[in-house]
Amino acid sequence: MPIPTPFHSRTSAVCESYEWRNWSGYLAAGLYEPSFEREYFAIRNSAAMIDVSPLFKYEISGPDAAQVVDRLITRDSSQCRVGQVMYSPWCDEEGKVIDDGVIARLDENHFRITAADPNLRWFQDVGYGYNAQVADVSAELAALSLQGPNSRAILTEVVSGIDFDQLNYFWLAHGQVDDGRQNRTPLTVTRTGYTGDLGYELWIDPEHAETLWDRLFEAGELHNIRPMGSEALEMTRIEAGFILAGIDFMPAMHTVRPTHTRSPFELGLGWLVDFNKPLFNGRRALLEEKERGSRYRFVKLDIEGNKPAENAYVFDQREKNIGWVTSAMWSPSAKKNIALATVD
């Protein structure tokens, strides 16, 4: 049975629809009102808050932490400086994507990785023999995503110790939130998100989650802030062209047939594969794929007319089936149907 997140006392109080989803074993609001339109437009025009606490969170620390991360991901972790964040997939030995996520370098030998799927066993296997520790800190951090064009103005009122005008995309900073009683609680802010808009993600001790929610809503009232559920989030990530594990690709650990797996190149993530570093999981297989070519290609489509594209096949001009749609929606911003698809 799904369990509540640290923000549940606040999300349940404003969830008029009573539409809940099971997100990694946690209760997550699908939408807060009978329709999700106002949540979607809050992201694009003002600001919205999404409870992303169900994300899996892992920390890798110790003298060899950087080596473990470098072996794990396809990007060069040495290019990630302290205070910087990078996005990367990680692969099995066949070069097929197990998952993708965000890697934050908290200190020289301390990294935090967020993921959609449970990866603890895999991370520990990769780190075997290294002088580094892999810890699951998922329950030790509450996470809130504040997204939209007014998000910076709201955070400036709530969080002290951070110059948000200087916090660049995919960087992090440490600050404090005032609970209104002159008590300051530490939190970490990353300029990241899953909406394609200006946004930030806030990481805080679960004990202070409710205070953070209250302070943001108080400061965001004049900025038309709204809570946002997973349905509106799904719309914004499709518009941004962001992939979702289990929807746009099947993680390698969950597949039985080799044809169901995908490499970074087949997901449009080839630019994240760094062959300049000598060792990482899947390097040899990915180098061979780069030389011979990939089986599939990930594409973004405009759909003519008002025909829904969900669960649709893709055909070429000779009416030969060459692929299928993985995600689709009517985009209020583009005023057309758009889709993400896999093709030969």
Side-chain angles (χ1 to χ4, degrees):
M1 181 176 179
I3 60 176
T5 74
F7 296 101
H8 185 71
S9 65
R10 300 303 188 260
T11 58
S12 59
V14 293
C15 187
E16 300 173 5
S17 70
Y18 295 99
E19 288 282 344
W20 296 94
R21 306 285 188 268
N22 184 337
W23 180 3
S24 301
Y26 287 89
L27 277 171
L31 63 163
Y32 285 90
E33 298 179 350
S35 175
F36 52 76
E37 277 81 1
R38 291 213 296 175
E39 298 171 33
Y40 165 84
F41 284 109
I43 280 285
R44 294 299 181 230
N45 299 313
S46 55
M49 290 204 309
I50 310 112
D51 180 3
V52 293
S53 299
L55 287 170
F56 291 95
K57 314 164 197 79
Y58 304 99
E59 292 191 1
I60 301 177
S61 59
D64 295 340
Q67 293 174 263
V68 174
V69 173
D70 210 40
R71 179 179 176 182
L72 175 69
I73 65 176
T74 61
R75 298 187 71 178
D76 184 355
S77 67
S78 69
Q79 301 300 311
C80 185
R81 291 183 283 170
V82 174
Q84 195 171 3
V85 183
M86 63 167 46
Y87 165 68
S88 178
W90 46 92
C91 302
D92 62 13
E93 287 303 311
E94 300 300 320
K96 301 304 184 289
V97 176
I98 294 174
D99 203 353
D100 64 328
V102 171
I103 301 94
R105 192 164 198 167
L106 305 177
D107 208 340
E108 194 65 31
N109 296 313
H110 189 183
F111 295 80
R112 180 184 296 152
I113 302 178
T114 57
D117 264 13
N119 283 265
L120 181 62
R121 291 281 298 273
W122 178 253
F123 288 179
Q124 290 175 334
D125 285 348
V126 171
Y128 182 78
Y130 288 92
N131 186 7
Q133 296 76 46
V134 179
D136 185 346
V137 297
S138 301
E140 299 174 22
L141 285 169
L144 197 61
S145 184
L146 179 63
Q147 304 283 305
N150 293 344
S151 56
R152 179 181 299 165
I154 296 170
L155 283 179
T156 300
E157 295 183 37
V158 174
V159 177
S160 60
I162 298 176
D163 183 351
F164 287 98
D165 290 331
Q166 299 300 317
L167 183 58
N168 294 324
Y169 191 46
F170 268 72
W171 283 80
L172 65 87
H174 305 290
Q176 304 86 36
V177 58
D178 189 336
D179 66 358
R181 298 185 297 273
Q182 297 184 335
N183 297 317
R184 296 188 179 277
T185 300
L187 82 165
T188 301
V189 178
T190 57
R191 190 175 164 187
T192 51
Y194 199 48
T195 66
D197 221 307
L198 174 67
Y200 303 84
E201 291 176 314
L202 293 73
W203 314 85
I204 195 169
D205 187 312
E207 181 182 350
H208 304 286
E210 296 169 345
T211 296
L212 176 62
W213 178 282
D214 293 343
R215 292 288 289 116
L216 289 171
F217 255 98
E218 177 186 331
E221 184 176 1
L222 295 179
H223 297 281
N224 296 316
I225 194 171
R226 305 199 67 81
M228 176 175 161
S230 58
E231 290 201 22
L233 180 61
E234 174 75 355
M235 295 175 68
T236 57
R237 73 94 185 167
I238 295 174
E239 285 185 335
F242 296 153
I243 61 174
L244 179 60
I247 300 295
D248 298 304
F249 73 98
M250 187 61 65
M253 293 298 191
H254 301 323
T255 59
V256 176
R257 298 179 181 178
T259 54
H260 291 174
T261 59
R262 292 293 181 270
S263 74
F265 295 111
E266 293 168 339
L267 292 175
L269 303 179
W271 61 281
L272 298 175
V273 179
D274 192 337
F275 290 114
N276 291 322
K277 64 176 188 176
L279 176 67
F280 63 90
N281 289 336
R283 185 181 188 278
R284 180 180 298 176
L286 289 171
L287 194 57
E288 293 174 355
E289 179 182 344
K290 184 180 180 182
E291 294 173 353
R292 72 170 184 271
S294 303
R295 304 166 300 172
Y296 307 103
R297 181 183 175 189
F298 198 72
V299 297
K300 303 165 187 177
L301 305 175
D302 290 331
I303 311 298
E304 294 182 359
N306 293 320
K307 297 178 181 178
E310 292 87 351
N311 304 314
Y313 290 100
V314 181
F315 297 86
D316 63 13
Q317 294 179 338
R318 297 168 296 174
E319 297 188 357
K320 176 185 177 183
N321 176 243
I322 58 169
W324 58 94
V325 169
T326 59
S327 296
M329 62 169 286
W330 165 259
S331 167
S333 296
K335 301 296 189 293
K336 63 173 63 177
N337 278 301
I338 59 174
L340 307 178
T342 289
V343 296
D344 295 336

